[in-house]
Amino acid sequence: MSLLEEGGPIFAQIAAELANQIADGTVGEGERVASSNELAVFYRVNPATAARALTVLSDEDLVEKRRGVGMFVAQGARDRLVRGRRRRFADRYVRPLAVEAARLGIGQDELLGLVRDELASVAVTSQAAGASAPHSTPSAGTPAATTALPGTTTATTTTAATGGGDV
């Protein structure tokens, strides 16, 4: 079963998935990540494609190669990754939100109230979804919520689009 989506380079999707696992702490600093051959088998792709995904993460200083042992999550990788994603989040969502609020004459207190209301709504929706099917088995074609990647313990799969440069 492939956890990759249609569209976008496969190596970028694999790199984004591994970066997500680093960001959410599924794979911690100093832990071994799957080899290109293990990733190739898991995702059913060419080993060169999987190797390219690891190269992307290495170029971003998220993983490091230990000669003769394998690839490991680099020290400080999670912090660097989260810091960069927060910066992109602010650029992509918060700044345009603030600009549009100013255009509409929405003040800071009102805007913060709207954001709080939406956050509360999302929390309630998330809790309801979790309560209705906490251990449901995915149907055919639906990726499992938790999948063990080779070379790792347990990996949470998230296939949401990450946008350019989010790796």
Side-chain angles (χ1 to χ4, degrees), residues 8-9 12-13 16 56 60 81 84-85 87-89 91-93 160-167:
Q13 291 181 53
V56 168
E60 296 287 326
L81 187 59
R85 286 183 175 191
R87 188 174 46 252
R88 284 187 296 277
F89 176 82
D91 290 345
R92 181 181 278 164
Y93 300 106
T162 58
D166 280 354
V167 174

Side-chain angles (χ1 to χ4, degrees), residues 73-87:
V73 177
Q75 292 300 315
R78 184 179 187 282
D79 290 338
R80 285 190 302 279
L81 187 59
V82 169
R83 219 176 15 256
R85 286 183 175 191
R86 284 182 175 202
R87 188 174 46 252

